[in-house]
């Protein structure tokens, strides 16, 4: 449990020792108990994945692609069941489950099946001065990759690191968040079934359940690499634990993404992108548009536009008879955080344009879709991740001021810029300290272009999980120097002879000397050294 978070006020996950009490956040209905794995069970899960990986690491790309294709097929065949699992465990809307989880996972599968082999085949590179040699990079599996993941995307968070891990020939052990433990096993089972159907051991993919202790056990249990997706606070703890075993880590942490609306932006386009940025998954999105920086000249119009749109939003149980725009908060802790940040901002002078409070408390954990205006960069809500259905409108003087405010937090995950002037938008984009920037689009959409990488800078973490870099992050990128010619040359460095020093100096000046004069001097050194050697 995160030290900065209070215990949930309504449901105590840990009420049954050794179990996780799972519940539907939109109704508080119990979903069942999930047993917690102790450190020994975590070690055994890693061992099972490791044994299965020995064979898997030798399989062809064609076979790996067939397995991933089966996963895609079974997701498509079971869309309604999977959406139901996601919605019950997270309280998000059915549409969000479909677009933010099913669609994104299918796109990652499609991209990986189509492009994986191309990025993972051995790659010839220059051998530099070693003309008698060939050089290449080989992409070998690391072994077993562990993943510790959060609660905001129950399906997508599992598949996101799993797909590249498997394509690159690794085993995989995932520790889902305790808040969405209920749906994790059936999601992982999809992949295990696909492996078995292709004659491979389903043990290659494991799920271990529990709290922070289980996450620590996964790191200490000897995985070969770890992907941590979660908060900055726990990212630090993960780094500390990984330091003990020198386990390489990719950290995908929080964000406070800026969304800049210039005075020449297409306002309706920007407004709808802002709605997506702030209210997809009730804002519980690492790449949510957390700070809208709107230029003074269009601020009032923009506020009116988004205010009217959000005032018409419907909220409630996503499984009810009518569609809703915004569902529940996944965790009561996050609801407490959002409530605290919003009420402090209002105390400090922010103006509530829509929402602003907890609602439907008798049914579940809901926060009303909220628009706060007159928010200033000094407010706590402009620095701390809100991770809720809250749009913050901050007035900025001009594009320079927008960039200054955008870069003023500790985070650097994604970002968005809206302007009709492409050069201006690109100029602003280039100055944003972020791992991703979208121009005239909500920044989270970069995920849908899987050739692009995904990851942050500053406190948003390091390492990349999408695209070529994401696939290769699952590999031991091995540098191989091989023979070019059937005959070899003995590289005789020992015993050191008189004149060797001068000869090497001459060679260095000849090769690296800038300009003809220096090179000629190098040749002179070499000739002198050779002559001395003959005496
Ligand atoms: P969290 O840090 O509380 O938990 C994440 C995971 O870490 C959970 O599985 C949890 O059980 C585990 N954990 C907790 N303490 C641990 C410890 N000491 N050692 C090892 N594991 C531990 O995060 P959360 O509240 O579940 O998720 C919300 C956070 O995740 C937000 O900050 C959000 O921005 C971030 N996030 C980032 C990305 C990204 O790609 N950058 C994606 C989604 C969410």
């Amino acid at each position: 449990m995160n030290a900065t978070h209070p215990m949930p006020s309504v449901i105590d996950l840990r009420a049954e020792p050794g179990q996780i009490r799972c519940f539907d956040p939109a109704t508080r209905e119990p979903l069942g108990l999930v047993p917690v794995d102790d450190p020994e069970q975590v070690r055994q899960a890693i061992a099972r994945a490791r044994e299965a990986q020995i064979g898997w690491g030798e399989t062809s790309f064609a076979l790996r692609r067939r397995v991933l294709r089966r996963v895609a097929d079974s997701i498509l065949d079971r869309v309604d069941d999977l959406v139901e699992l996601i919605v019950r465990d997270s309280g998000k809307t059915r549409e969000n489950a479909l677009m933010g989880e099913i669609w994104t996972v299918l796109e990652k599968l499609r991209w990986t099946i189509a492009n994986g082999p191309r990025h993972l085949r051995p790659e010839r590179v220059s051998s530099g001065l070693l003309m008698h040699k060939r050089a290449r990079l080989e992409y070998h599996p690391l072994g077993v990759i562990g993943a510790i993941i959060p609660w905001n995307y129950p399906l997508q968070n599992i598949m996101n690191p799993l797909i590249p891990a498997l394509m690159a020939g690794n085993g995989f052990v995932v520790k889902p968040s305790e808040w969405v433990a209920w749906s994790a096993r059936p999601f992982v089972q999809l992949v295990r079934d696909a492996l078995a159907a292709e004659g491979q051991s389903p043990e290659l993919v494991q799920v271990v359940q529990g709290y922070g202790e289980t996450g620590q056990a996964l790191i200490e249990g000897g995985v070969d690499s770890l992907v941590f997706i979660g908060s900055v606070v726990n990212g630090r703890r993960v780094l500390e634990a990984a330091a003990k075993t020198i386990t390489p880590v990719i950290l995908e942490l929080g964000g406070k993404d800026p969304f800049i609306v210039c005075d020449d932006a297409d306002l309706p386009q920007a407004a709808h992108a802002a709605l997506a940025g702030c209210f997809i998954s009730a804002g519980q999105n690492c790449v949510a548009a957390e700070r809208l920086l709107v230029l003074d000249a269009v601020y009032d119009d923009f506020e009116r536009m988004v205010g009217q749109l959000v005032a018409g939003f419907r909220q409630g149980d996503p499984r009810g008879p009518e569609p809703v725009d915004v569902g529940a908060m996944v965790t009561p802790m996050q609801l407490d955080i959002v409530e605290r940040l919003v009420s402090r901002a209002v105390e400090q002078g922010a103006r509530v344009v829509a929402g602003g409070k907890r609602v439907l408390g008798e049914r579940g954990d809901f926060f009303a879709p909220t628009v706060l205006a007159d928010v200033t960069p000094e407010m706590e809500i402009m620095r701390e991740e809100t991770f809720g259905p809250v749009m913050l409108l901050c007035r900025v003087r001009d594009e320079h001021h927008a960039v200054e405010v955008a870069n003023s937090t500790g985070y650097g995950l994604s970002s968005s810029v809206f302007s009709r002037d492409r050069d201006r938008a690109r100029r602003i984009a280039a100055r944003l300290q972020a791992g991703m920037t979208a121009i005239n689009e909500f920044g989270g959409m970069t995920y849908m272009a899987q050739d692009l990488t995904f990851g942050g800078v500053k406190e948003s973490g390091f390492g990349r999980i999408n695209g070529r870099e994401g696939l290769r992050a699952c590999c031991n990128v091995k540098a191989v120097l091989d023979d070019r010619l059937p005959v070899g040359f003995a590289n005789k460095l020992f015993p050191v002879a008189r004149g060797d020093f001068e000869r090497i100096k001459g060679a260095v000046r000849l090769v690296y000397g800038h300009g003809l004069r220096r090179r000629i001097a190098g040749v002179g050194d070499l000739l002198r050294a050779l002559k001395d050697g003959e005496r």
Side-chain angles (χ1 to χ4, degrees), residues 13 20-32 34 81-93 97 101 150-155 158 176-187 209 284 317-319 328-332 365:
L13 261 60
I20 303 170
R21 271 174 74 184
C22 303
F23 68 100
D24 177 339
T27 59
R28 299 209 187 95
E29 277 175 65
L31 296 174
V34 167
D81 295 348
L82 298 177
V83 166
E84 174 77 3
L85 286 170
I86 295 167
V87 168
R88 292 231 73 184
D89 220 3
S90 69
K92 70 173 65 179
T93 68
E101 309 226 29
W151 41 257
N152 58 340
Y153 285 85
L155 171 70
I158 293 176
S177 168
E178 54 274 34
W179 295 100
V180 290
W182 179 70
S183 56
R185 197 163 289 278
F187 295 152
Q209 300 272 20
Q284 299 160 108
D317 180 1
R319 294 167 65 246
M329 300 294 294
V330 183
T331 88
D365 299 323

Side-chain angles (χ1 to χ4, degrees), residues 149-151 175 178 216 228-231 234 252-254 286 385:
I149 54 172
W151 41 257
K175 205 299 277 173
E178 54 274 34
Q216 288 284 320
F228 176 78
I229 310 177
S231 59
N234 287 327
E252 295 287 353
L253 307 178
C286 57
E385 201 178 25

Side-chain angles (χ1 to χ4, degrees), residues 21 28 82 86 97 126-127 154 159 252 262 283 295 306 326 362 366 427 438 476 487:
R21 271 174 74 184
R28 299 209 187 95
L82 298 177
I86 295 167
S126 162
S127 60
M159 296 294 179
E252 295 287 353
C262 291
L295 263 67
V306 289
V326 178
E362 70 293 351
F366 293 91
R427 188 170 65 231
N476 166 16
V487 286

Side-chain angles (χ1 to χ4, degrees), residues 34 120 155 245 266 269 283 290 292 358 389 402 418 432:
V34 167
L120 294 171
L155 171 70
T245 45
D266 177 331
Q269 183 194 26
E290 288 248 348
L292 270 66
R358 222 178 248 261
F418 284 78
L432 295 176

Side-chain angles (χ1 to χ4, degrees), residues 58-233:
E58 299 290 320
T59 53
S60 64
F61 288 133
L63 175 63
R64 294 179 201 169
R65 290 163 82 168
R66 282 205 299 280
V67 169
L68 294 183
R69 210 167 279 130
R70 276 186 189 274
V71 175
D73 288 346
S74 53
I75 289 176
L76 277 172
D77 292 346
R78 297 187 47 203
V79 164
D80 291 319
D81 295 348
L82 298 177
V83 166
E84 174 77 3
L85 286 170
I86 295 167
V87 168
R88 292 231 73 184
D89 220 3
S90 69
K92 70 173 65 179
T93 68
R94 288 159 51 78
E95 293 73 16
N96 280 177
L98 203 49
M99 287 202 68
E101 309 226 29
I102 303 284
W103 195 319
T104 49
V105 167
L106 286 171
E107 177 54 17
K108 186 151 188 165
L109 283 163
R110 186 200 65 76
W111 182 89
T112 308
I113 291 164
N115 299 287
R118 180 158 64 92
H119 296 311
L120 294 171
R121 274 194 198 106
E123 191 186 355
R124 283 262 304 264
V125 292
S126 162
S127 60
L129 295 182
L130 306 175
M131 281 178 280
H132 60 300
K133 288 286 176 188
R134 272 206 177 120
R136 68 175 171 273
L137 295 168
E138 293 178 354
Y139 299 95
H140 294 273
L142 283 168
V144 177
I145 295 186
I148 301 174
I149 54 172
W151 41 257
N152 58 340
Y153 285 85
L155 171 70
Q156 201 265 137
N157 282 334
I158 293 176
M159 296 294 179
N160 194 19
L162 178 150
I163 295 166
L166 259 57
M167 188 68 208
N170 298 284
F172 185 75
V173 183
V174 63
K175 205 299 277 173
S177 168
E178 54 274 34
W179 295 100
V180 290
W182 179 70
S183 56
R185 197 163 289 278
F187 295 152
V188 168
Q189 193 60 40
L190 281 179
V191 184
R192 290 171 62 98
D193 290 346
L195 284 162
E198 288 294 336
Q200 299 301 304
S201 170
E203 301 295 338
L204 186 72
V205 175
Q206 302 283 328
V207 55
V208 292
Q209 300 272 20
Y211 303 91
E213 300 85 342
T214 311
Q216 288 284 320
L218 184 58
I219 308 165
E220 288 159 12
V223 287
D224 299 291
S225 168
L226 186 94
V227 180
F228 176 78
I229 310 177
S231 59
V232 175
V233 174

